Structure formats: structure tokens, C-alpha cells
Amino acid sequence: MNPIVSIQNLSKVYQGGHQALKEINLEIKEGEILALLGPNGAGKTTLISTICGIVSPSSGTVTVNNHDIIKNYRESRELIGLVPQELTLGAFETVWNTINFSRGLFGKKKDDAYLEELLRELTLWDKKDNELRTLSGGMKRRVLIAKALSHQPKILFLDEPTAGVDVELRKDMWNIVRRLKESGVTIILTTHYIEEAEEIADRIGVINNGELLLIEDKKELMQKLGQKQLIVEIKEPIETLSTQLSKYSVSLSEDGSKITYTYDTRGDGTGITSLLQAINESGLSLKDMQTTQSSLEDIFVNLVHDDGGDQNQHKNSKVEKPHAH
Amino acid sequence: MRINFQAIKVIYKYEMLRAWKTLFQSLASPVISTALYFVVFGSAIGSRIDTIEGVSYGLFIVPGLTMLSLLTQSIANASFGIFFPKFTGSIYEVLSAPVSFFEIMVGYVGAAASKSFVLGVVILITASFFVDLKIAHPVWMATFLILTCISFSLFGFIIGLWANNFEKLQIIPLLIITPLVFLGGSFYSVSMLPPFWQTVTLFNPVLYLVSGFRWSFFEVSDVNVGLSLGMIVFFLVACLAVISWMFKTGYRLKE
Ligand SMILES: Nc1ncnc2c1ncn2[C@@H]1O[C@H](COP(=O)(O)OP(=O)(O)OP(=O)(O)O)[C@@H](O)[C@H]1O
Ligand SMILES: [Mg+2]
């Protein structure tokens, strides 16, 4: 399937010289929910703003449904709804007027029935005649969502939708996101929270310092997360693994003193017992043993801290002391 | 070429709606100040001034007074209209919508110019309570009125795009426009000045506006009417050129 959004070698250097995006390549599939994770200042908002036409790219191309965002900006922008990170709303207009304004900007005819339904879904209907400045922060965020959806976009960008949002709104929001996904809308959201990405996304991308460090299916990521490693330290280093041991998915460290076994915690049997038996039968004596597990959090923190370095640093969790044979 | 009429319509509509809510302030203050000018200049002082080129003083100042309000209000309306969404950040929505800069401009400037036009008419009606107002060339009067509303709304739009704080928004009207209007023959005929100052005044663009506008009422003017018309059209085109340059570069709108 063709990607609905295709980003090629996209870079952005702000006036003043700060490079906020570095050669980003990314293809967003139609109908998926993509979560972009990254710390403050990573470039998430810049990326979204560029796709939506608020920031001009310095180099590279972006197409939305095969329409270039600069040459064919009308066709590309028509498909997009954007909920910005900041509560950027006017002050004196009413909720009802502001969503009608949004819809009109996108060239759509008035549709009171749809807009009423939308406001009801966001529990804003009884506020429809209130001026925007009289709304609370959470309600303003709801209004921003209503504005973004007012023209029935095919692609929805949510820039940190859960910042400053209570449980109720978060629940409403995820319900809306699920409903939109069912109706075929592609959703791209940014967040600082890994659990959020885990909960809702189909794919997860990690951005730091303007670089896309990782982009992967959540399922595959989670599978990696479900994996644990058992590291066995042996007393006398060995050159090669015995044939008996090489039957297992194990690897030997360079100095020959550690054997690492990767297993799936969710499987029926982990295979640890038989592996230990095999080690024993190979005549190796154990010095120490530990298991490690990588969480999405670790992957994230790690990626972000040494910028794409070792992706498999592990959370160390000492388990039972090995019993000497 | 495709035009997003719906977008122009909503920008225009909601800008007009904004004025509607503050209708009283928007109209009351110009009307009151115009009335005050009439009382002070027209009646109190004017009674001691001879007619100027055959027109009583009270009558003579009507076009200038109207221009004074028109210019300041066109600029204020149009600059605020585009500055405020920039200030609150809600401009993101306009920038990310399938609208061209041309459409954005038509919406905002069209609304500001319409408001000024209504204001101009209201001021003339107010004036007619004080003096016996007769318009020699109504079509030309309307043409000058409309062209002035549009070109100074365009100018205000430029200021609104350029300003990145409230001070800058105020400074040009205050420092440049008001003096130009006062020195542009709004309250006197240029022929009343010493020759040196007459020449200086010829560099004041507002002179051409006021003179042409006054001609449409009384058929008296400081400069040739054709020149007046030419100047105002030139100013309008110059503003359009500046705006299209600003849009091309995304000046203070896009990063
Ligand atoms: N208008 C601007 N002018 C100059 N630099 C900017 C501008 N906007 C953002 N930046 C810089 O670009 C970098 C990326 O900013 P961006 O807002 O995209 O980050 P982000 O990932 O959205 O962060 P956050 O999680 O805090 O929202 C930052 O270093 C920021 O300081
Ligand atoms: Mg951001």
C-alpha cells in the first residue's frame, strides 16, 4: 500500500542556525496510528508543523497522498487536521463560531448536524455559546480537537494531546482516536509517555536531536521487550561453544567468559533448565549468573542518551545466586 | 486556478462579527470626536474664519475630518485583525488550511475596508447634522472613499504582519499617519501656507487624498484631481507589492 505521508530527507534549520530536523525519512501508512516519542526539543513539533505548512522546510520533500505539500498545498492540506501542542485559541469568539470558522477555512460547506455531533462527543455542546477565553484549559484542548476534526480530515496530527489533560478527557480522546481509526483516519501523535504510545499506537518512532532514531511496529517492539537475557559467567574462559551448547540461541562474549542466552518470557518453557544442564554437561563451572530485560523505556532512554548508540543496554536485575554444582 | 471562496467568506464574516460585537465602541468614538471637531473648529473657530475658496469653513473641513477617521480606523482595524491571531498563536489554523495568502488578504483586508467604509458613511451623516452637506460628484466621492478604505486597510495589514508587539502596532499610526493627516491640508487649504511650506506639503501623500476627496464635494482642490486619483492608486499598488513580497518570503508568519 502506498504511504499516505511520505517524508524524504527532510531538514529544517531555523533562523538563527538551529537545526531542528536532520534528514528525516519516514513513511506513514494509511490508517495507522503512529506515535512519535522524544524528549523536549527533539523536533516533534517542528516535524508536524512542517508537514502541515506552518514551518517551511529547509530541504527535502514531503508528500501527502502523493501531493507535494508546497506545490499542491491545497490538495495536501485539505486532508489534514492538526491539534497543536499549545492552547492557541482566539479569545472573544464562541465555541460554535470558532469551529464553523475552521470548517469554512478548509473550504467545506456548513454542516450543523455534524458539528453538533462532534461537540456532543467532546462534551462541549453545552458550552457552544461560551466565549473561548472563559473556558478551562482542558475545555480549550477539546475545542482544539473539535476544530481539527471540523472538516473531517483523513489524517489527524495530535501534538502532545494529553499534556495537562485529566483522566476523563484522556479517555474521551482515546475513544475518539479509536473511532477515527475505525473509519480509516490516519493518526500521528507525539508524546513523552511511553505507556501512552504502547496503549494506542500501531507503530512507534523515536526522535531525538532532530533525528529519527527508530521506527518500528509496536508488536515487534513489544516482542523485543518480552525477551529476557540470561548471562552466565564461567570460571574458565572458553574459545568456542560446544556443539551441545550451540544448539541453543546463545552467544559467547569476546573474552570467552560470558554466555548470553536470549529467551521469551511469554513462551511455555524458557529453556533455562535444559540450558543450565547443557552447560553443566559441557564441563563448565559457573561463576555468576544474571538476567536482564529491556523495556521500551530502556530502549527509549538509551537511544536518546547516546543517540543511537548501543540499542541493547539492559536493565540489570540480579536473580538467584547460582548454586555451585 | 482554484479559489477557496468558502475560506474568504468565513474570514470576512468572522472579522465583521468581531466588529459587530464592539459596534458601539467602533462607531461611537469616531462619531463623538467628529462632532467635537465640528463644535470646536466648525462653529467656534470657523465662525471667525472667512470662507475658503467660496466654501464655509465648517463645510470645508468635512472631507478632511472624514479622511482622518478613515485612515486611522482602516489601519487600526486591518492591523489588529491580522496581528491578534499572530499574538494568540491561532494563526496556525489559517497557515495550515488550504488557503492562499491572497485569499487570506482578501478576507482580512476586505473586512477592514468594509468597516471603514461604513464608518466613513456614518461620519458624513453625522456631519450633515452640523452643516448643509452637498456632494457635487457622488460617484467620485464614493470612488475616493472606497479606494482610501482599501489602500489604507492594505497598509494596516502590512503593519499587522510586521508588528511583533503591541507597541509596534501603535507606533506608525501615531507617529506618521496622524501628523501627515494634520499637515496634509485637512483643516486648511494649502494655498493659505507660505510658498516654502506649500512645496513641502506636496510631498505629503495625504494631501492628494484629501484634495481629491474634497473636490468630489465642492469642486475645489489643492492639486489636480487626476493626480489625486493617480497617487491613491499608486499607493494601493505599492501596498499590494509589499504584501506579496511579505507573503512570498513568509515574512513573520512562517518560520
Ligand atoms: N521558531 C523557532 N525558532 C528557532 N528555533 C526553534 C523554533 N521552534 C523550535 N525551535 C527549536 O527547535 C528544536 C525543536 O523544537 P520542537 O518544538 O520541534 O521540539 P519538540 O520535540 O516538539 O519538543 P517538546 O517536547 O518540548 O514539545 C528546539 O531546540 C527548539 O528550541
Ligand atoms: Mg513539541
Side-chain angles (χ1 to χ4, degrees):
Chain A
M1 192 164 45
N2 267 342
I4 187 121
V5 178
S6 170
I7 302 167
Q8 269 144 24
N9 304 319
L10 181 68
S11 293
K12 173 64 189 178
V13 180
Y14 278 112
Q15 265 170 4
H18 180 79
Q19 181 156 17
L21 294 176
K22 296 169 188 161
E23 298 276 319
I24 300 270
N25 285 290
L26 172 63
E27 304 215 314
I28 299 167
K29 298 173 200 156
E30 185 163 2
E32 75 171 334
I33 301 180
L34 173 67
L36 293 172
L37 278 165
N40 289 135
K44 304 181 294 295
T45 300
T46 305
L47 178 61
I48 289 182
S49 302
T50 310
I51 302 170
C52 295
I54 299 165
V55 169
S56 317
S58 304
S59 64
T61 55
V62 180
T63 59
V64 176
N65 207 13
N66 294 324
H67 302 296
D68 186 273
I69 55 158
I70 292 173
K71 256 184 275 155
N72 304 315
Y73 67 93
R74 283 189 204 269
E75 288 80 1
S76 71
R77 290 184 197 168
E78 264 168 4
L79 301 171
I80 296 178
L82 166 66
V83 181
Q85 178 176 2
E86 308 288 338
L87 297 175
T88 42
L89 277 175
F92 302 105
E93 60 263 50
T94 63
V95 172
W96 183 249
N97 284 346
T98 202
I99 60 170
N100 270 289
F101 177 76
S102 304
R103 188 176 166 86
L105 272 186
F106 281 76
K108 292 264 174 109
K109 290 258 148 55
K110 266 180 88 72
D111 185 344
D112 289 353
Y114 169 72
L115 292 183
E116 175 174 345
E117 189 193 330
L118 185 62
L119 287 189
R120 285 190 190 282
E121 187 174 26
L122 285 158
T123 57
L124 276 173
W125 181 244
D126 57 331
K127 301 272 184 229
K128 75 179 171 56
D129 296 320
N130 289 34
E131 284 188 8
L132 296 175
R133 69 194 164 91
T134 65
L135 301 179
S136 75
M139 289 175 200
K140 283 181 181 158
R141 182 143 325 261
R142 287 171 198 258
V143 173
L144 287 172
I145 298 170
K147 280 166 83 77
L149 294 176
S150 67
H151 65 278
Q152 292 144 301
K154 292 276 295 157
I155 306 167
L156 180 66
F157 287 92
L158 294 160
D159 198 353
E160 265 161 69
T162 51
V165 150
D166 69 3
V167 183
E168 197 65 25
L169 176 50
R170 186 184 292 227
K171 217 175 67 197
D172 286 355
M173 193 143 48
W174 290 161
N175 283 338
I176 291 171
V177 164
R178 284 195 191 97
R179 173 182 62 77
L180 289 171
K181 185 187 156 73
E182 269 162 34
S183 67
V185 175
T186 309
I187 294 152
I188 297 96
L189 57 97
T190 73
T191 176
H192 295 132
Y193 305 110
I194 288 151
E195 313 82 67
E196 213 162 271
E198 278 187 30
E199 187 184 337
I200 198 96
D202 299 318
R203 275 203 306 164
I204 294 175
V206 177
I207 299 188
N208 190 41
N209 275 327
E211 285 175 284
L212 187 64
L213 302 180
L214 167 152
I215 173 104
E216 199 153 6
D217 260 38
K218 183 179 66 177
K219 282 206 194 92
E220 278 160 36
L221 259 181
M222 297 315 286
Q223 210 148 29
K224 280 189 191 164
L225 299 182
Q227 286 178 347
K228 266 186 140 177
Q229 275 153 334
L230 172 71
I231 299 165
V232 179
E233 226 177 302
I234 46 184
K235 276 189 184 142
E236 269 119 55
I238 51 172
E239 301 260 296
T240 51
L241 291 166
S242 67
T243 42
Q244 197 176 8
L245 278 177
S246 49
K247 275 188 287 188
Y248 295 87
S249 59
V250 294
S251 61
L252 188 63
S253 67
E254 264 179 29
D255 63 359
S257 69
K258 280 184 195 135
I259 297 168
T260 304
Y261 172 57
T262 306
Y263 62 98
D264 195 337
T265 48
R266 292 169 302 183
D268 289 335
T270 56
I272 293 178
T273 319
S274 60
L275 174 76
L276 288 179
Q277 210 159 0
I279 290 177
N280 198 8
E281 282 164 13
S282 306
L284 305 172
S285 50
L286 305 184
K287 189 172 161 202
D288 198 0
M289 195 163 89
Q290 63 184 19
T291 66
T292 65
Q293 181 171 32
S294 52
S295 69
L296 184 50
E297 180 119 25
D298 287 327
I299 294 183
F300 177 66
V301 166
N302 200 50
L303 279 172
V304 159
H305 281 189
D306 39 73
D307 231 6
D310 174 22
Q311 294 200 6
N312 292 312
Q313 198 189 316
H314 305 116
K315 187 189 279 175
N316 291 344
S317 56
K318 280 254 162 85
V319 285
E320 44 178 358
K321 276 262 169 207
H323 28 254
H325 50 101
Chain B
M1 203 182 84
R2 242 177 77 189
I3 293 180
N4 188 346
F5 287 107
Q6 200 70 25
I8 298 178
K9 198 176 109 186
V10 290
I11 294 177
Y12 183 87
K13 179 176 158 189
Y14 287 100
E15 279 298 293
M16 294 305 274
L17 209 63
R18 190 166 62 80
W20 185 252
K21 283 213 263 185
T22 54
L23 187 66
F24 186 72
Q25 291 106 290
S26 344
L27 289 183
S29 80
V31 167
I32 289 173
S33 58
T34 309
L36 286 176
Y37 277 115
F38 273 116
V39 173
V40 175
F41 289 113
S43 308
I45 300 175
S47 60
R48 294 165 188 239
I49 300 180
D50 269 348
T51 56
I52 299 177
E53 299 180 39
V55 181
S56 79
Y57 188 68
L59 210 48
F60 184 84
I61 62 173
V62 171
L65 272 180
T66 312
M67 279 291 166
L68 176 64
S69 287
L70 227 54
L71 262 53
T72 46
Q73 292 301 312
S74 296
I75 292 174
N77 276 331
S79 62
F80 191 76
I82 188 74
F83 175 80
F84 196 63
K86 269 192 351 173
F87 177 72
T88 60
S90 57
I91 191 81
Y92 85 87
E93 188 177 24
V94 178
L95 295 177
S96 61
V99 256
S100 66
F101 283 128
F102 176 74
E103 289 152 2
I104 297 173
M105 184 194 77
V106 171
Y108 280 104
V109 172
S114 306
K115 286 183 252 180
S116 310
F117 181 77
V118 172
L119 180 74
V121 172
V122 169
I123 288 177
L124 288 177
I125 292 172
T126 312
S128 71
F129 287 110
F130 293 87
V131 289
D132 186 17
L133 198 59
K134 287 207 177 61
I135 304 167
H137 304 284
V139 175
W140 281 113
M141 193 282 284
T143 308
F144 273 110
L145 197 64
I146 291 169
L147 282 177
T148 305
C149 290
I150 295 175
S151 42
F152 280 82
S153 294
L154 286 171
F155 186 63
F157 193 70
I158 294 175
I159 294 175
L161 285 175
W162 164 77
N164 44 18
N165 56 43
F166 277 98
E167 283 72 42
K168 283 193 181 166
L169 200 62
Q170 311 282 357
I171 200 125
I172 296 211
L174 210 63
L175 247 51
I176 301 179
I177 299 301
T178 312
L180 283 184
V181 175
F182 275 88
L183 300 175
S186 301
F187 302 108
Y188 51 84
S189 166
V190 177
S191 60
M192 294 157 83
L193 294 174
F196 172 75
W197 289 107
Q198 284 193 25
T199 315
V200 171
T201 308
L202 288 179
F203 289 96
N204 181 347
V206 177
L207 168 75
Y208 299 87
L209 279 181
V210 173
S211 168
F213 195 46
R214 186 177 289 139
W215 172 85
S216 69
F217 286 85
F218 319 123
E219 296 188 300
V220 296
S221 61
D222 289 323
V223 291
N224 181 287
V225 182
L227 191 59
S228 288
L229 201 64
M231 284 296 279
I232 189 168
V233 170
F234 171 78
F235 185 64
L236 192 147
V237 172
C239 287
L240 280 175
V242 172
I243 291 173
S244 72
W245 171 81
M246 284 174 133
F247 280 162
K248 242 187 221 118
T249 57
Y251 183 82
R252 289 199 176 158
L253 270 180
K254 275 189 176 196
E255 293 293 340

